[in-house]
């Protein structure tokens, strides 16, 4: 039988090459192999009080970019969190069995308290409970998680166990981490930092136009060049090669590797090639972003279909949850 795999998508920011080559390409493959559910986690973003127009704009952009990049609503269930009221209902019930102390101890909460100390709202504290509701509502076998989300998955597992024990029911299986293993590449930043990331401010985005991509790549940090044959590459140069390996053909990579090893490399040429190959890969996606983004009818159809599928699974869970808790009709 196919496993159910669920993954949340942050509703803020544009997709960058790190997101695309890191997780998204695996999701795209996975959607044909498993029963996949992907959702735009818009309610989570309310902890930072976005303006209403931005709130919807973010959902529109993220959904558009994921569809353009290759999530296929004919194969995966793609929905928006706020379309599923059962999630918020489960969130309330899970909040009752979650303790303040365990939430205060999470790394993400401590981080946020530091970052937005004038807005430490209850939603921030109970963020992991909403995440647990997001996950448990569909009772998935697996959840793909990055390093920064491992603690949240652990809380989800704890709440699943606690609910089952407290209400003497067998409603929630414990979800396991989905491990991409060796397939997961980490995309470096071109500013000499180890990782391309939204917060790092070094992203090359799928929505960037060719001029922007060329500018960003030409600004990549380098050095004055190799001084001895077959020398070891400094991190900055290795980062460029790592990206090149992802977007270029093997013969191109070999050509520049040899040029590095025999000290004839010109970084200007290397960067120009890298920029061109990034453009080649992102251009069709950018074109689709423009098409899909303008097609409100299509987006409505996709989200309505996704919501219907997600609600079916959510309602089945809530039926059992309500029964276990003792919520019943007269
Ligand atoms: P933030 O800075 O807000 O954490 P981010 O740029 O790291 O944002 P996330 O939203 O945290 O992006 O990540 C979405 C997905 O993309 C996750 O599965 C994450 O592991 C993956 N990802 C993010 N950056 C990279 C990267 N540089 N290389 C590989 N995968 C990445
Ligand atoms: Mg991150």
């Amino acid at each position: 039988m196919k496993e159910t795999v669920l993954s949340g998508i942050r509703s803020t920011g544009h997709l960058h090459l790190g997101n695309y080559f890191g997780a998204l390409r695996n999701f795209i493959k996975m959607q044909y192999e498993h029963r996949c559910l992907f959702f735009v986690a818009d309610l989570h973003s309310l902890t930072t009080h976005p303006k209403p127009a931005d709130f919807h704009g973010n959902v529109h952009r993220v959904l558009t970019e994921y569809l353009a990049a290759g999530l296929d609503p004919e194969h995966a269930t793609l929905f928006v969190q706020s379309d599923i009221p059962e999630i918020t209902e489960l969130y309330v019930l899970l909040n009752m069995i979650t303790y303040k102390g365990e939430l205060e101890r999470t790394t993400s909460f401590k981080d946020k308290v530091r970052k937005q100390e004038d807005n430490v709202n209850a939603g921030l504290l109970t963020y992991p409970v909403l995440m647990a509701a997001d996950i448990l509502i569909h009772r998935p076998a697996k959840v793909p998680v990055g390093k920064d989300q491992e603690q949240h998955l652990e809380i989800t597992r704890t709440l699943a166990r606690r609910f089952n024990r407290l209400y003497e029911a067998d409603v929630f299986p414990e979800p396991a981490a989905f491990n991409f293993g060796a397939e997961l590449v980490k995309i470096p930043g071109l500013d000499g930092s180890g990782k391309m990331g939204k917060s790092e401010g070094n992203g090359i985005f799928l929505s960037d136009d060719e001029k922007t991509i060329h500018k960003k790549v030409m600004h990549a940090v380098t050095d004055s060049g190799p001084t001895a044959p077959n020398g070891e590459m400094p991190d900055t140069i290795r980062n460029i090669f790592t990206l090149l390996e992802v977007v270029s053909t093997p013969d191109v990579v070999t050509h520049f590797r040899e040029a590095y090893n025999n000290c004839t490399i010109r970084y200007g040429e290397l960067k120009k090639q890298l920029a061109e190959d990034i453009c080649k890969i992102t251009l069709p996606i950018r074109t689709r972003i423009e098409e899909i983004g303008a097609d409100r009818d299509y987006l409505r159809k996709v989200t309505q279909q996704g919501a219907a599928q997600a609600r079916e699974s959510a309602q089945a869970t809530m039926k059992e949850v309500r029964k276990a808790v003792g919520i019943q009709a007269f």
Side-chain angles (χ1 to χ4, degrees):
M1 214 184 79
K2 282 188 175 185
E3 274 181 329
T4 298
V5 181
L6 172 118
S7 183
I9 298 169
R10 240 178 271 248
S11 68
T12 49
H14 286 277
L15 274 175
H16 53 68
L17 295 180
N19 300 136
Y20 182 64
F21 289 108
L24 186 47
R25 279 230 305 207
N26 288 291
F27 290 168
I28 292 166
K29 236 190 292 156
M30 215 161 70
Q31 68 188 342
Y32 301 109
E33 293 156 10
H34 300 283
R35 173 182 175 248
C36 288
L37 298 121
F38 301 107
F39 68 97
V40 180
D42 58 345
L43 294 175
H44 282 279
S45 77
L46 290 171
T47 52
T48 58
H49 305 165
K51 294 196 179 72
D54 291 341
F55 180 78
H56 178 70
N58 287 340
V59 176
H60 174 266
R61 190 192 54 247
V62 164
L63 197 63
T64 299
E65 292 193 358
Y66 273 83
L67 285 165
L71 285 195
D72 181 352
E74 296 305 316
H75 288 273
T77 295
L78 192 55
F79 66 98
V80 181
Q81 182 188 30
S82 58
D83 281 338
I84 316 297
E86 288 80 11
I87 294 174
T88 33
E89 185 185 358
L90 182 59
Y91 169 57
V92 170
L93 299 179
L94 291 179
N95 265 322
M96 306 303 170
I97 63 166
T98 314
Y99 298 100
K100 179 170 155 268
E102 62 191 337
L103 293 175
E104 279 170 344
R105 277 195 299 276
T106 59
T107 325
S108 58
F109 180 67
K110 288 192 256 181
D111 253 19
K112 293 283 172 161
V113 169
R114 237 174 288 128
K115 280 186 197 147
Q116 52 184 76
E117 54 182 20
D118 51 349
N119 178 23
V120 183
N121 57 63
L124 216 48
L125 181 68
T126 57
Y127 202 100
V129 186
L130 183 53
M131 205 177 255
D134 288 331
I135 296 170
L136 295 178
I137 198 83
H138 296 296
R139 295 184 277 186
K142 301 247 164 96
V143 185
V145 281
K147 268 258 163 285
D148 57 334
Q149 300 298 331
E150 274 170 5
Q151 199 177 24
H152 290 152
L153 186 60
E154 207 40 60
I155 294 176
T156 302
R157 294 153 57 84
T158 302
L159 292 181
R161 270 197 308 274
R162 192 177 295 161
F163 184 96
N164 290 344
R165 186 166 26 80
L166 195 68
Y167 295 113
E168 293 175 13
D170 191 17
V171 179
F172 296 121
E174 283 182 47
F178 189 98
N179 206 340
F180 289 123
E183 290 161 63
L184 210 57
V185 278
K186 189 170 107 184
I187 304 297
L190 292 182
D191 51 357
S193 81
K195 174 185 174 284
M196 183 179 291
K198 231 183 308 113
S199 320
E200 276 74 18
N202 59 5
I204 298 175
F205 300 101
L206 297 182
S207 54
D208 281 344
D209 61 27
E210 304 202 354
K211 214 173 129 200
T212 310
I213 290 173
H214 275 275
K215 212 167 120 196
K216 285 181 179 176
V217 174
M218 294 321 277
H219 274 114
V221 179
T222 50
D223 56 16
S224 48
T227 47
N230 302 311
E232 202 180 327
M233 275 184 200
D235 286 347
T236 49
I237 308 302
R238 190 162 343 103
N239 286 350
I240 297 178
F241 272 94
T242 301
L243 255 183
L244 195 72
E245 274 167 11
V246 171
V247 298
S248 302
T249 53
D251 54 309
V252 167
V253 179
T254 306
H255 164 78
F256 284 104
R257 262 196 202 293
E258 280 169 5
Y260 185 86
N261 285 335
N262 60 33
C263 303
T264 56
I265 194 161
R266 288 167 191 244
Y267 289 144
E269 276 171 24
L270 170 66
K271 290 180 186 179
K272 192 159 160 280
Q273 178 78 46
L274 177 61
E276 274 168 22
D277 290 337
I278 291 175
C279 288
K280 218 181 283 166
I281 284 190
T282 55
L283 178 65
I285 301 177
R286 185 155 49 85
T287 309
R288 281 201 298 275
I289 290 176
E290 278 159 26
E291 285 164 7
I292 294 172
D295 194 347
R296 307 280 316 184
D297 286 340
Y298 176 66
L299 291 171
R300 187 178 317 111
K301 199 181 117 225
V302 166
T303 48
Q304 281 178 354
Q305 173 187 304
Q309 289 166 1
R311 285 199 77 184
E312 197 181 308
S313 137
Q315 279 165 354
T317 303
M318 282 316 290
K319 201 169 156 201
E320 288 187 38
V321 167
R322 289 169 145 255
K323 182 159 173 264
V325 173
I327 301 174
Q328 65 175 80
F330 283 95

